[in-house]
Amino acid sequence: MKRVTLKAVVDKDLCVGCRICEKVCPVYAISVVDRKATVQDDKKCRGCANCADRCPRYAIKMVERDDPFDVGVDVSKVDYSKIRALCEKAHVNPEQVLCYCVGVRAEEAAAALLMGATTPEEVSSMTGMRTGCTIECIQPLLRLVEAAGNELHPNPNGWQWYGVTTTAWDFPQEVKEKYNSRGFYFDEDRELLDRIVKQGAEKEGD
Amino acid sequence: MDNKLMHPPIMPIAAKPSQYGIDPALVKKRVAEMPGMVSVRLQELFPDLPEVIYPGPEGALDRLYELAKEELRKVDMSMIKPDQSVNVLASHHGFTLLGGQPYAILLKAIRDIVIEKTGCKNVRLRAGVGMRFRETEEYIKRYGLDEYYEGKAKGVAPIDEGIPIETEIGTLYGIKAIYDADWIIHAHHTDVREVHFHRQIDKAVKPFSMSYARIESRSTYHQNLGPRAANFTARAIFESKFVQSKFAFGAFLSVGPHGVIGVDADNDLYAINDRATFIGCQLYGKVMTLFGKIDECIAVLDFPCPVPYVFSAGVIYANFVGANADLYDMEGTPLPPYTWYTEAFYNKQGKPFLKQTPPLNPAIKMCVHNYAWTGYPSAFFSEHIPTVVVGAEQAKMFDTEPMNLKYMDHAVIAKTTEQAMEFAYNVTGTDKVIIFDGAMGGLNCSESLAKLLIEKAPAVSELVEKELMPKWFRQRGVDMSVLERLKG
Ligand code: SF4
Ligand code: SF4
């Protein structure tokens, strides 16, 4: 859940239509129309400031909304056993925080997917996930989207994300063996992550 | 001040204009100026710390520039041809060390010696960031690097256009502009900074998975591999054929918690890494272990950096909140009190999933946030440590920043620094204060805390040398004889 308090506002006199803002927006709220960046429906903007912070012309300002609003998915509307099953498939605990900035937990992202989201952008739009730093939660987000049965198609014209990467669960054995003695605790960490995934499962089953 | 190891406070690092912090004019008072504050010098607490070049007498920065050139001249640069291009890769952290000038000087010296030795003039600066995408743009201007690099200097961010990099563990992603030259030079430093994340494993290599990397790689580090396997992401990228085909050499500012010790430039990054591991474990390890002995205190944030990165004696606040555990101990501390994995593993009731998760440092009775920046998700700190923020403007800034929307949900506001400190003294009942204000060469604190640090330092020094370091090195597969060689 996120309270959206900011919005991006473009100074069209400064904009040169380079499209960088369009390529970095995690929810596709900004695009270039007639050579000028435009936020067509400012209710779509989740206030992450990516566009403002990458615009080479400093043409975008983040301003405080006079109509702040909440986005979020009500987890209680979805069968929790389905949420847990989806989270386990993606190797996360439903209650684990995935997005440190906004505070979105895995269960909310999973609920968004079970309620019909099919892309990372839709999950971000519905929950606010990945609209803070926009960096650190991309992998578990992609993992969840895929675990929910969706194919991942990076935007060929954007830089939003490129693809999933290796995890503790598919890490090559020969690489572990090669580097184990250098202070990396690969198997021990995987065991720790597996314990986290299972926490609380018995309680729900009671 | 009845102890000869206590001195008047050291001038804190000045507030700086930035889009991430309040207007410096609003920082009316520094806590180090307040009654009862003193400083201790690290070289007096730990007499075996090596001599520093900076801070030093007038001309110290000029001498550093000369030393950097001398060290760089010894490095093999024959692979760089006059008609080729070179990217000097920098990271934001360097500019937060000791006022930022020493790192900027290293970056200038690298350009000068590359041109001198190779005749190559197409030398560009690419400066990566953490989560504040404009941060290095600000530094490039502040330290005149845009002019020095003749307009060929730019800040790069992890959401910029990427390129795939094939590694031993599959495809990872780098920032395209980092690698858009024939050669790259890795310009970094030995400051330990986020020990909770990298655990002093391959620290010298880390930027390849952070400030030079795209979001996919950074998220692999922080979400996919686990708290003690995370930094392998950096090694995987650095050892890829692609990066190896471009890597010319590393040039590091050797810094300890007390200042700049020297410059370390080498074609072999792992040789630099071994030396950095030694500095990280021995020099910083002593200060961290000493901080772990503090029984109770008020922690003051008073430095132009995001909340977790404010410094005291070379230790960042994010490590002080974990000082109740040994962050270097890979087996005894599988999950530090603070790291993103730990933060993720707290349930909806605010309790850790695993009972054995250590709490945030219980010695911190209150945090007085006099001056620190936004630009890093910091709500976890205010959620778990009573926090008082000075000034409504600062509170408002946090309240409207995309990464900190919940920081003020848990913190209270005081109108002035004096009121904040009075509140903290009254509520906590302790008069021990540690100030994270970047004081160079030592640290500012209350007299009572100085007394504790002075008393405990000799035993801590012995503990680190005799017991902890051999264990830390063994866990990292580093032979203790390396240490002897390095000392020699
Ligand atoms: S990034 Fe800036 S200049 Fe480029 S299209 Fe967007 S608003 Fe215009
Ligand atoms: S969601 Fe972020 S990138 Fe997109 S328009 Fe809003 S502020 Fe800009």
Side-chain angles (χ1 to χ4, degrees):
Chain A
M1 209 266 270
K2 177 177 184 175
R3 182 142 191 88
V4 183
T5 56
L6 297 176
K7 65 178 176 186
V9 174
V10 182
D11 180 338
K12 299 219 167 164
D13 292 337
L14 293 175
C15 173
V16 292
C18 72
R19 293 186 185 271
I20 287 175
C21 50
E22 199 178 287
K23 294 173 199 284
V24 299
C25 177
V27 292
Y28 295 140
I30 191 166
S31 54
V32 173
V33 180
D34 296 334
R35 298 197 189 157
K36 296 287 173 190
T38 315
V39 183
Q40 296 246 353
D41 172 3
D42 76 14
K43 287 266 185 201
K44 284 193 176 159
C45 169
R46 293 290 173 263
C48 74
N50 268 7
C51 54
D53 281 346
R54 296 322 289 150
C55 172
R57 308 294 300 210
Y58 296 80
I60 302 175
K61 288 224 160 5
M62 298 309 297
V63 301
E64 221 181 322
R65 302 189 82 106
D66 46 23
D67 58 346
F69 59 92
D70 293 330
V71 290
V73 172
D74 183 352
V75 175
S76 69
K77 297 265 187 301
V78 183
D79 177 353
Y80 209 81
S81 65
K82 289 194 175 141
I83 290 182
R84 177 162 280 280
L86 176 52
C87 288
E88 283 191 8
K89 201 169 164 199
H91 300 291
V92 289
N93 186 295
E95 287 201 33
Q96 146 178 9
V97 174
L98 296 185
C99 169
Y100 310 112
C101 301
V102 180
V104 174
R105 293 178 189 272
E107 59 177 13
E108 194 183 346
L113 288 157
L114 292 165
M115 286 168 108
T118 58
T119 66
E121 291 71 29
E122 282 166 6
V123 176
S124 294
S125 183
M126 286 167 76
T127 64
M129 178 175 180
R130 211 197 147 212
T131 66
C133 71
T134 76
I135 305 167
E136 308 300 347
C137 57
I138 187 63
Q139 285 303 330
L141 174 55
L142 295 179
R143 260 192 272 152
L144 271 169
V145 173
E146 229 179 12
N150 305 290
E151 273 183 31
L152 292 171
H153 298 289
N155 175 359
N157 301 312
W159 308 333
Q160 277 80 6
W161 50 269
Y162 293 112
V164 289
T165 56
T166 193
T167 66
W169 298 275
D170 50 25
F171 200 93
Q173 188 59 30
E174 67 278 11
V175 180
K176 284 185 197 171
E177 279 157 20
K178 195 165 151 195
Y179 297 102
N180 258 335
S181 66
R182 293 292 304 181
F184 301 105
Y185 285 67
F186 299 113
D187 287 329
E188 293 83 350
D189 271 10
R190 179 188 160 156
E191 191 266 332
L192 174 82
L193 297 177
D194 278 334
R195 270 164 63 213
I196 292 290
V197 173
K198 292 283 178 204
Q199 290 300 308
E202 307 80 17
K203 206 173 60 201
E204 283 152 26
D206 285 346
Chain B
M1 226 180 288
D2 55 358
N3 190 311
K4 65 180 183 355
L5 299 191
M6 286 185 208
H7 305 278
I10 300 164
M11 182 73 83
I13 296 287
K16 292 195 165 74
S18 166
Q19 79 171 65
Y20 302 103
I22 48 170
D23 178 353
L26 292 168
V27 186
K28 301 254 186 321
K29 186 95 181 179
R30 308 303 296 272
V31 176
E33 304 170 314
M34 295 182 73
M37 300 305 166
V38 299
S39 69
V40 287
R41 306 284 154 85
L42 289 177
Q43 255 161 333
E44 292 179 354
L45 285 183
F46 299 115
D48 53 356
L49 283 175
E51 288 300 314
V52 297
I53 301 159
Y54 184 82
E58 217 187 306
L61 287 171
D62 296 333
R63 278 192 296 283
L64 175 62
Y65 174 65
E66 292 306 321
L67 173 81
K69 288 199 297 185
E70 208 178 291
E71 292 302 315
L72 285 159
R73 283 193 186 105
K74 294 179 198 159
V75 175
D76 177 17
M77 300 186 194
S78 60
M79 70 294 279
I80 302 171
K81 306 297 174 209
D83 58 345
Q84 290 187 312
S85 54
V86 179
N87 280 354
V88 177
L89 310 183
S91 304
H92 56 304
H93 290 174
F95 297 101
T96 68
L97 299 174
L98 305 154
Q101 285 287 6
Y103 187 59
I105 281 169
L106 173 67
L107 297 174
K108 290 176 181 176
I110 294 171
R111 179 179 189 275
D112 293 343
I113 299 304
V114 168
I115 293 172
E116 177 189 299
K117 280 191 72 164
T118 71
C120 168
K121 294 223 168 54
N122 194 3
V123 184
R124 307 94 146 260
L125 179 67
R126 299 280 192 256
V129 296
M131 304 169 115
R132 297 158 300 287
F133 300 157
R134 297 281 196 204
E135 186 176 354
T136 44
E137 286 178 24
E138 291 181 357
Y139 296 135
I140 284 169
K141 288 196 192 83
R142 184 177 303 149
Y143 299 107
L145 291 163
D146 42 357
E147 279 165 40
Y148 209 90
Y149 275 76
E150 296 179 342
K152 294 177 185 170
K154 76 170 176 182
V156 297
I159 55 167
D160 289 352
E161 185 170 11
I163 42 156
I165 299 175
E166 297 314 320
T167 77
E168 274 182 297
I169 55 169
T171 310
L172 290 166
Y173 299 86
I175 298 167
K176 192 173 176 191
I178 287 284
Y179 298 104
D180 67 356
D182 296 303
W183 297 101
I184 54 171
I185 295 166
H186 175 37
H188 207 58
H189 53 79
T190 60
D191 183 68
V192 295
R193 215 176 154 91
E194 299 166 306
V195 185
H196 56 293
F197 283 149
H198 61 71
R199 310 295 296 273
Q200 200 65 53
I201 305 287
D202 285 356
K203 165 65 176 67
V205 188
K206 189 183 172 213
F208 286 91
S209 63
M210 283 292 141
S211 41
Y212 309 160
R214 271 273 312 179
I215 58 169
E216 295 80 3
S217 306
R218 292 175 58 159
S219 183
T220 305
Y221 187 115
H222 288 301
Q223 302 254 15
N224 281 13
L225 299 183
R228 293 169 297 174
N231 214 28
F232 189 76
T233 320
R235 188 181 270 252
I237 294 178
F238 178 66
E239 292 196 357
S240 68
K241 276 201 187 108
F242 174 72
V243 174
Q244 286 299 308
S245 73
K246 289 181 180 285
F247 182 74
F249 61 91
F252 277 50
L253 199 64
S254 294
V255 286
H258 56 319
V260 180
I261 309 163
V263 169
D264 191 351
D266 203 313
N267 297 94
D268 178 356
L269 184 56
Y270 288 116
I272 296 179
N273 188 57
D274 278 347
R275 295 187 284 266
T277 303
F278 165 66
I279 290 173
C281 290
Q282 195 198 34
L283 311 189
Y284 288 89
K286 284 186 184 176
V287 183
M288 289 222 203
T289 308
L290 179 61
F291 279 9
K293 305 289 178 203
I294 296 173
D295 56 344
E296 55 170 31
C297 70
I298 296 162
V300 173
L301 318 183
D302 207 2
F303 184 88
C305 240
V307 169
Y309 294 135
V310 297
F311 278 104
S312 178
V315 174
I316 57 171
Y317 183 59
N319 284 164
F320 187 53
V321 302
N324 48 320
D326 177 353
L327 298 179
Y328 294 92
D329 184 352
M330 304 302 287
E331 280 147 26
T333 312
L335 201 57
Y338 169 68
T339 178
W340 275 335
Y341 286 102
T342 317
E343 179 172 350
F345 302 157
Y346 272 66
N347 67 19
K348 285 195 282 189
Q349 282 71 47
K351 297 274 181 289
F353 288 133
L354 304 175
K355 283 194 193 71
Q356 58 270 45
T357 307
L360 289 194
N361 189 353
I364 308 173
K365 301 299 173 200
M366 187 169 284
C367 169
V368 172
H369 176 151
N370 189 48
Y371 170 57
W373 291 357
T374 61
Y376 186 101
S378 306
F380 188 68
F381 302 111
S382 60
E383 229 175 288
H384 293 270
I385 296 168
T387 299
V388 50
V389 173
V390 175
E393 296 88 349
Q394 191 159 224
K396 172 87 182 165
M397 187 162 195
F398 273 76
D399 226 12
T400 49
E401 197 252 352
M403 289 176 235
N404 280 295
L405 293 170
K406 295 192 172 140
Y407 186 73
M408 289 309 302
D409 287 2
H410 313 283
V412 296
I413 306 171
K415 282 187 185 152
T416 65
T417 306
E418 288 83 350
Q419 285 166 350
M421 289 304 292
E422 199 184 308
F423 176 68
Y425 286 131
N426 288 341
V427 172
T428 64
T430 181
D431 64 351
K432 294 195 190 103
V433 180
I434 179 165
I435 310 177
F436 289 77
D437 63 4
M440 288 194 252
L443 74 123
N444 290 325
C445 59
S446 65
E447 215 170 304
S448 49
L449 188 76
K451 197 163 158 275
L452 178 144
L453 297 174
I454 292 164
E455 265 169 29
K456 302 222 178 254
V460 162
S461 185
E462 201 176 313
L463 177 72
V464 171
E465 293 280 348
K466 300 217 167 109
E467 269 181 49
L468 299 178
M469 273 220 304
K471 175 170 74 178
W472 296 338
F473 273 67
R474 181 177 34 79
Q475 291 175 347
R476 286 157 183 78
V478 179
D479 184 347
M480 279 298 279
S481 65
V482 167
L483 216 154
E484 295 310 315
R485 275 210 311 279
L486 290 166
K487 277 183 187 162

